[in-house]
Amino acid sequence: MYKALAFCLVCLFVPVLHAQTASPEQVRAAADHAVAAVQHGSTGFSKMMQCFSCHDHALPMMMLKTARERGVAADEAAASQAAAKAFLFSPDLSSIDKAVQAPMIIDPAPSEGWALIAAHAVGVKPNLITEVYTRRIANWQRADGHWPTADARPPQSYSLFTATALALRAMHLYLPEQMGDEVRRRSDRALRWLFTEAPHGTEDFTFRLFGMYWAGANEVECSTAAKDLLALQRPDGGWAELPHMQSDAYSTGEALVAVNEAGGVPVTDPSWQKGLQYLLSTQQADGSWHVKTRMLSPAAVSPPYFESGFPYGHDQFISTTATCWASMALMSALPKVANPRIPEAPSILSPTGVKPWMETALFGTTAELKAQLKAGLDPNSQTPEGTTLLMLAAHDAKKVQ
């Protein structure tokens, strides 16, 4: 009798368990729709705005990198056009002069941090210009190990954990090899801060985990941070931005990506699958997710509100970011393709006019600079746009002397 009862219970629950696991076809279709929706909005944003944007450039570029790795279709021509425009103003990845003279320093860790992570996603190789921007980020680190931010646009732009994690990722991607010891020292200081500072809200917990992972924390440390993030999951399978708020796609998407990528939680984990089901059940027919903004209108932020072509009016920018995170989470459940397409950065972003003496002044030793001066390097050397040898060496008092 007990065996018969057990068999009946298995028959009863197997369909339920099976229904909670989405098919690859279902996940892929949802991801296809999400990628198309984001690219439509990102293209509209790029037509209207000159500046780099974390919500309409950085996250979409990261999303497209994941799409290539998982074999999800994307409009590569539109992606290349967006990249070509995104990195020619602030920051301008084609100009050594703008990088060194820094006419627009706003908020290095999150602003340039997101930009450099996005640049890596579109195929920008390390070069003298990316190194200048990254060193400026590195020098913004505070004595206790964290990086600050002056931004106040939650949930994406306000957290010290986010700023710190982005700075760490940029350093590890783009600082030159000769600065390896400094990268390790700064990473160790950041890890001590991440271990001791108390996170508040899903954004903090998510980027504490990312920061630990990018700084080189060990598997046990990352796993512990992932468990802390998993503990915030709601009964509906989602995550909320703050304890008093409802689950949304932004928090759920970033949490799922973080615990899988940085925390080692497999996509087959029941909690992870429950989060996936939440995303699938809340996706709109056009492929997007709607998340309400926490900014009170009119908000004194840049850029001012305009329509990019993404839905939801004043909620469109956070909803764009949410759709990016949600789609990256969906695609994490798909198998990686054998030979993903590796994009080439638009040729317009290739640095021009870079000379060996510039690299020596910026990142060489004092002895190397002395040797070049003795060999005939003019101490009044400068670029056509007026960046002098002295300006390039200004970060190092011995070189200046």
Side-chain angles (χ1 to χ4, degrees):
M1 182 177 72
Y2 292 111
K3 289 183 179 180
L5 179 60
F7 178 77
C8 290
L9 288 172
V10 169
C11 292
L12 180 64
F13 284 108
V14 163
V16 175
L17 293 173
H18 178 74
Q20 292 178 345
T21 303
S23 69
E25 294 76 17
Q26 182 184 4
V27 174
R28 187 173 295 278
D32 283 339
H33 283 95
V35 169
V38 168
Q39 284 203 273
H40 176 73
S42 182
T43 298
F45 182 92
S46 295
K47 290 178 179 178
M48 295 289 293
M49 294 299 299
Q50 189 177 17
C51 65
F52 176 84
S53 159
C54 54
H55 48 72
D56 268 281
H57 290 135
L59 268 295
M61 290 172 187
M62 291 167 59
M63 176 199 70
L64 291 173
K65 180 176 183 294
T66 305
R68 296 182 189 103
E69 294 169 347
R70 306 291 171 159
V72 174
D75 185 340
E76 292 292 355
S80 182
Q81 289 173 4
K85 186 174 182 182
F87 299 115
L88 290 177
F89 178 62
S90 180
D92 184 343
L93 298 187
S94 70
S95 171
I96 188 67
D97 298 276
K98 289 181 181 177
V100 173
Q101 295 184 28
M104 287 187 66
I105 297 178
I106 300 175
D107 204 4
S111 296
E112 277 80 1
W114 275 123
L116 290 166
I117 293 170
H120 177 260
V122 302
V124 174
K125 302 292 191 295
N127 58 62
L128 201 59
I129 294 172
T130 60
E131 290 168 356
V132 170
Y133 280 111
T134 310
R135 183 169 60 188
R136 183 173 299 119
I137 293 173
N139 289 339
W140 229 256
Q141 187 180 26
R142 296 306 186 245
D144 65 358
H146 85 279
W147 272 264
T149 177
D151 213 341
R153 287 178 281 185
Q156 186 182 11
S157 303
Y158 81 102
S159 169
L160 296 183
F161 287 90
T162 303
T164 299
L166 296 175
L168 285 164
R169 182 59 171 158
M171 281 199 315
H172 283 267
L173 287 174
Y174 282 115
L175 277 184
E177 291 184 6
Q178 60 264 39
M179 294 185 68
D181 288 341
E182 179 176 341
V183 172
R184 284 187 286 274
R185 289 194 301 270
R186 290 186 181 279
S187 295
D188 288 343
R189 284 166 55 195
L191 273 175
R192 287 194 292 271
W193 183 84
L194 290 167
F195 288 146
T196 57
E197 189 71 12
H200 302 282
T202 300
E203 180 79 6
D204 283 357
F205 278 92
T206 295
F207 279 90
R208 181 180 69 157
L209 173 54
F210 273 133
M212 288 180 178
Y213 179 66
W214 290 333
N218 63 45
E219 187 176 328
V220 173
E221 292 164 339
C222 289
S223 178
T224 299
K227 289 177 182 176
D228 292 341
L229 180 52
L230 282 171
L232 301 180
Q233 189 175 26
R234 299 293 183 82
D236 62 4
W239 276 257
E241 295 172 28
L242 296 171
H244 68 276
M245 299 178 69
Q246 299 297 314
S247 299
D248 65 38
Y250 176 90
S251 295
T252 303
E254 69 173 359
L256 290 174
V257 173
V259 297
N260 173 246
E261 180 180 312
V265 176
V267 297
T268 54
D269 180 89
S271 294
W272 203 95
Q273 282 291 319
K274 192 174 181 180
L276 179 66
Q277 286 294 332
Y278 170 84
L279 291 177
L280 290 170
S281 67
T282 54
Q283 187 179 25
Q284 302 299 307
D286 62 1
S288 67
W289 281 264
H290 183 192
V291 175
K292 292 184 178 181
T293 181
R294 286 160 61 184
M295 303 299 293
L296 298 178
S297 185
V301 296
S302 175
Y305 172 77
F306 65 91
E307 285 289 347
S308 68
F310 201 83
Y312 312 123
H314 283 264
D315 297 335
Q316 65 183 287
F317 299 129
I318 182 58
S319 294
T320 297
T321 311
T323 301
C324 289
W325 279 120
S327 65
M328 285 190 281
L330 294 180
M331 289 185 282
S332 299
L334 299 173
K336 289 187 176 182
V337 299
N339 296 298
R341 179 185 177 278
I342 300 175
E344 289 189 12
S347 59
I348 196 172
L349 300 180
S350 299
T352 58
V354 174
K355 306 294 183 182
W357 61 268
M358 299 178 188
E359 186 165 3
T360 303
L362 283 163
F363 294 101
T365 65
T366 304
E368 289 170 338
L369 182 58
K370 281 184 177 179
Q372 287 199 16
L373 289 167
K374 288 181 178 179
L377 173 62
D378 184 355
N380 295 312
S381 297
Q382 61 180 283
T383 70
E385 294 186 40
T387 301
T388 66
L389 176 58
L390 187 63
M391 292 165 67
L392 290 162
H395 63 283
D396 189 322
K398 290 183 179 179
K399 288 182 184 177
V400 171
Q401 186 181 29

